[in-house]
Amino acid sequence: MTKNCNFIEKLREVGLRPTKQRVKMCEVLFNREKTFHFTINDLVKMISEKMSEKISLATVYNTVHAFEKKGYLKEISIDSHKSYFDTNISAHHHFFDEDTHELIDCDESDIDPVNIKKNITGKKIKSVEILIKVASDNQTQK
Amino acid sequence: MTKNCNFIEKLREVGLRPTKQRVKMCEVLFNREKTFHFTINDLVKMISEKMSEKISLATVYNTVHAFEKKGYLKEISIDSHKSYFDTNISAHHHFFDEDTHELIDCDESDIDPVNIKKNITGKKIKSVEILIKVASDNQTQK
DNA sequence: AACATACATTATAATAATTCTAAACTATTG
DNA sequence: CAATAGTTTAGAATTATTATAATGTATGTT
């Protein structure tokens, strides 16, 4: 697998040693065409399925957060009960399907740029995020 | 206090019995000019200060969620660690000050309406929320 | 290749936020 | 004012996350 070399490089860039747990994590996270949204729990399950050995929760938390800090993952907050992470780190917005609890990326072309006319004195805008909650018609709003 | 009568009515509308704990909660929540943002913890503290008797955490959680369900409060998700609630239940957006952890309402006039060109088949848009994170210039992005 | 060392992993304990439970209490209705 | 249906409460249970400390491992040096 030439892919693994990329992952090892990536880990090095981030300042993490390429251990087998971390390389496996990278495979799950970054070895895909499409953007990938997940919770820590999802991730632990997926890694466990892909690996004969066990991976500890703590390792997953630590490594995910290390990636987040360095900008390889983005956290998306939908409600107070769930942290979603996103492998698409460009500035973009989301749909959240309340029926399936699925997160869907918006393309840049899906939403016109937001025009903010107010600013807080002495403060800089760090990010602008739009979350569009959707549900099937018969569903009541949360 | 004529105000308390309103709160008793309000509680009745929501289908809750107007007990003294709940009336006190209403005073803290709704007896103000300006929008009010709070976490459950903030709220418990504020109520305790206003009341000689203790109020239990469980009661605050239950009542806040009852109000939320009925649309008298709105939950705002900033990060996975904190639930903020908002007494301003109209559709509106927020600034979040990463330095002070303060939530600030946007007026309707502060942000142009969002134009969404994509839609998810079979799904209806339930809400559109913009969160603008700000911090002082020397602060690094979270 | 073996070593030393710094960094990782792990299971488990600790913490924090929230929800559940069951017993005691209270507003409401008749 | 008594019966009852709904409330409050303290504390236990649960869940997500973080910290800890002992053990294990990747890495650069030799």
Side-chain angles (χ1 to χ4, degrees), chain A residues 3-142:
Chain A
K3 273 286 180 185
N4 277 4
C5 299
N6 298 343
F7 298 148
I8 290 170
E9 261 173 52
K10 189 164 207 160
L11 286 164
R12 286 245 164 76
E13 276 169 36
V14 171
L16 294 173
R17 282 189 186 163
T19 63
K20 57 174 174 304
Q21 286 88 346
R22 284 177 178 160
V23 171
K24 199 52 101 174
M25 270 189 69
C26 285
E27 281 178 33
V28 174
L29 288 175
F30 304 117
N31 199 6
R32 28 182 95 236
E33 321 263 299
K34 290 180 61 182
T35 305
F36 171 49
H37 299 115
F38 62 95
T39 65
I40 298 278
N41 260 337
D42 296 340
L43 189 56
V44 171
K45 258 187 228 144
M46 299 180 79
I47 296 170
S48 302
E49 281 165 15
K50 279 211 164 193
M51 253 204 327
S52 45
E53 299 127 275
K54 247 196 94 178
I55 189 166
S56 121
L57 242 190
T59 303
V60 178
Y61 272 102
N62 294 339
T63 309
V64 163
H65 287 147
F67 276 133
E68 194 211 346
K69 208 187 223 166
K70 295 287 180 172
Y72 281 93
L73 290 174
K74 212 171 145 181
E75 186 173 2
I76 295 144
S77 184
I78 274 82
D79 61 39
S80 41
H81 299 267
K82 255 183 180 162
S83 268
Y84 284 84
F85 290 88
D86 190 342
T87 55
N88 179 356
I89 53 172
S90 65
H92 67 287
H93 306 299
H94 293 95
F95 289 95
F96 180 68
D97 187 328
E98 293 186 339
D99 305 324
T100 62
H101 285 200
E102 206 185 345
L103 206 54
I104 301 157
D105 275 358
C106 295
D107 292 335
E108 217 178 314
S109 60
D110 292 335
I111 299 185
D112 285 338
V114 181
N115 183 20
I116 300 158
K117 299 172 198 159
K118 177 187 187 175
N119 57 353
I120 313 285
T121 37
K123 304 283 175 175
K124 256 209 166 129
I125 290 175
K126 294 291 176 176
S127 68
V128 177
E129 273 171 36
I130 307 180
L131 184 65
I132 302 158
K133 292 190 180 169
V134 302
S136 56
D137 290 3
N138 49 354
Q139 205 75 12
T140 51
Q141 178 161 4
K142 201 223 132 158

Side-chain angles (χ1 to χ4, degrees), chain B residues 12 17-19 40-41 57-58 61 65 81 83:
Chain B
R12 287 246 163 75
R17 283 191 186 163
T19 63
I40 298 278
N41 260 335
L57 243 189
Y61 272 103
H65 287 146
H81 299 267
S83 271

